[in-house]
Amino acid sequence: MRAIHAEQHLIDRVGWLRAAVLGANDGLVSTASLIVGVAASAAGSGEVLIAGCAGLVAGAMSMAAGEYVSVSSQADTEQADLERERRELATDPAAEQEELARIYVERGLNADLARRVAEQLMAKDALGAHARDELGLSEITAARPVQAALTSAATFSAGAALPLLVAVVSPPAITLYTVSAASLIFLAVLGALGARAGGAPVLRATARVAFWGALAMAVTAGIGGLVGKAG
């Protein structure tokens, strides 16, 4: 008897992984850019730390609220589509079975086999079959607003804490440079970890994250320097 081939796919990570990577990257880039911009304006170390702390708290709350609202909208849409399918199954199950069979024909099954497959799947779980094969919904990719909100807030805070910690321990005269350099290293590591967790090319993800982070900090530092001189 052949052993069952166990497969471990990465798609089941997509919900929390997207929120985690987005939250950590946003926390790191926005807080580092804020600290670098304030430091470039020749502000004192106390002002720099206050700005960094405010950015961490405000950003974490904003990320949580934004993720919750957007994923809740997705969940509402999914539920509305499921309710529509439930009504159609109750009022005209034969038409729904034919619709499911047509989907299988379009995927390569012959008409007779497609009808038998649709009949058997609907006998077991009609709504589940239509949710999966007609709407493209599944348990793996279902919208989870609370999970997305908490993940985003936690990972944003973790990402934001890194440049803030560097600013705390760095001598005030070189805060601009130490935070910039350390944040680029953190971003590269974050990009590599996110790529590895999602099975994506590590080098490309690392370069992409580091590039946009460097650009954000450079622009913010330039603006901070101009504002500092104008003041």
Side-chain angles (χ1 to χ4, degrees):
M1 181 178 180
R2 294 180 59 186
I4 297 176
H5 175 56
E7 294 183 349
Q8 183 175 5
H9 296 287
L10 302 176
I11 189 64
D12 58 346
R13 302 176 180 178
V14 68
W16 65 263
L17 182 61
R18 182 190 68 84
V21 171
L22 176 63
N25 182 77
D26 197 24
L28 217 169
V29 172
S30 61
T31 305
S33 298
L34 181 61
I35 292 172
V36 166
V38 175
S41 70
S45 58
E47 294 169 310
V48 170
L49 295 179
I50 290 173
C53 290
L56 187 157
V57 175
M61 297 304 296
S62 176
M63 284 291 292
E67 279 291 318
Y68 185 82
V69 170
S70 67
V71 179
S72 291
S73 297
Q74 177 186 340
D76 291 343
T77 301
E78 292 176 358
Q79 290 303 314
D81 279 342
L82 287 173
E83 184 58 35
R84 185 178 300 110
E85 283 299 317
R86 189 178 286 109
R87 289 197 303 268
E88 291 173 353
L89 285 167
T91 57
D92 196 351
E96 289 301 299
Q97 182 174 314
E98 183 62 28
E99 182 180 31
L100 199 59
R102 285 198 302 270
I103 292 173
Y104 298 144
V105 169
E106 291 172 359
R107 293 181 182 178
L109 298 183
N110 64 57
D112 289 338
L113 179 57
R115 280 193 290 271
R116 291 201 304 272
V117 170
E119 180 181 359
Q120 291 181 30
L121 288 177
M122 287 186 62
K124 180 179 180 181
D125 182 6
L127 182 61
H130 280 270
R132 180 178 59 253
D133 294 323
E134 182 183 350
L135 303 178
L137 302 179
S138 70
E139 181 64 25
I140 293 175
T141 58
R144 296 179 176 85
V146 175
Q147 181 192 67
L150 293 177
T151 300
S152 293
T155 53
F156 183 99
S157 299
L162 295 174
L164 185 58
L165 180 61
V166 174
V168 169
V169 301
S170 175
I174 59 172
T175 296
L176 172 63
Y177 308 104
T178 55
V179 170
S180 298
S183 296
L184 285 177
I185 295 173
F186 294 146
L187 282 170
V189 172
L190 175 63
L193 290 175
R196 183 172 293 276
V202 173
L203 184 59
R204 182 169 60 188
T206 301
R208 180 173 57 222
V209 171
F211 170 78
W212 289 108
L215 181 63
M217 286 186 285
V219 171
T220 311
I223 294 174
L226 290 174
V227 172
K229 290 178 182 179

